[in-house]
Amino acid sequence: MTDTLKAQIGLRLRERRERAGYTREKLGELCSLSPRFIANIELGDSTFSLDSLMTVCRVLSCSSDYLLFGDSVDTEVWSETISKLEQLDVKYQEPVDKMLQGLIEAIVKAGQ
């Protein structure tokens, strides 16, 4: 992993941590990691183990894609829609998924 990539991951971690209102100490406590380790990642001097990455993502409510690559869906924008979907019984997951896929395809096609 390049130093540039480690620095970018560190910046994204810091941004998510600060947005969540956590100090390095608090995030470390919630993730069972030392504040120094959190600082080292944020400074681009260390990298996550898979277990640490999963824990940090869970605590910060973000995807590993976001921390590693900068790709993310802004769940705040979609929170009302997600809330509605969460109210559905799981038995409706397949038909809802198919309807959403059809809707997405129609939107993409209309935008071309």
Side-chain angles (χ1 to χ4, degrees), residues 94-106:
E94 187 176 342
V96 168
D97 189 54
K98 287 179 182 178
M99 287 188 302
L100 286 172
Q101 186 59 42
L103 178 62
I104 291 167
E105 290 170 8

Side-chain angles (χ1 to χ4, degrees), residues 9-22:
I9 291 168
L11 287 173
R12 287 189 287 271
L13 172 61
R14 181 177 179 187
E15 183 269 333
R16 286 302 289 210
R17 176 182 59 77
E18 288 177 346
R19 187 186 318 171
Y22 296 141

Side-chain angles (χ1 to χ4, degrees), residues 51-102:
D51 287 339
S52 296
L53 176 63
M54 289 170 53
T55 301
V56 167
C57 288
R58 197 171 308 120
V59 169
L60 293 177
S61 299
C62 69
S63 71
S64 59
D65 281 357
Y66 172 74
L67 285 183
L68 297 176
F69 307 109
D71 300 332
S72 81
V73 172
D74 187 348
T75 55
E76 290 177 28
V77 171
W78 291 100
S79 65
E80 189 174 329
T81 303
I82 291 167
S83 177
K84 290 174 185 171
L85 290 171
E86 288 173 340
Q87 293 174 27
L88 289 172
D89 189 297
V90 72
K91 69 183 178 184
Y92 298 115
Q93 189 274 327
E94 187 176 342
V96 168
D97 189 54
K98 287 179 182 178
M99 287 188 302
L100 286 172
Q101 186 59 42

Side-chain angles (χ1 to χ4, degrees), residues 15-66:
E15 183 269 333
R16 286 302 289 210
R17 176 182 59 77
E18 288 177 346
R19 187 186 318 171
Y22 296 141
T23 62
R24 288 177 178 157
E25 290 76 15
K26 183 63 176 177
L27 180 60
E29 178 185 320
L30 293 169
C31 296
S32 299
L33 300 170
S34 75
R36 184 71 236 158
F37 181 67
I38 300 292
N40 286 342
I41 293 172
E42 289 183 356
L43 296 170
D45 295 333
S46 294
T47 58
F48 290 107
S49 69
L50 182 57
D51 287 339
S52 296
L53 176 63
M54 289 170 53
T55 301
V56 167
C57 288
R58 197 171 308 120
V59 169
L60 293 177
S61 299
C62 69
S63 71
S64 59
D65 281 357
Y66 172 74

Side-chain angles (χ1 to χ4, degrees), residues 1-8 44:
M1 181 180 305
T2 67
D3 289 343
T4 302
L5 182 56
K6 287 193 275 188
Q8 291 169 346

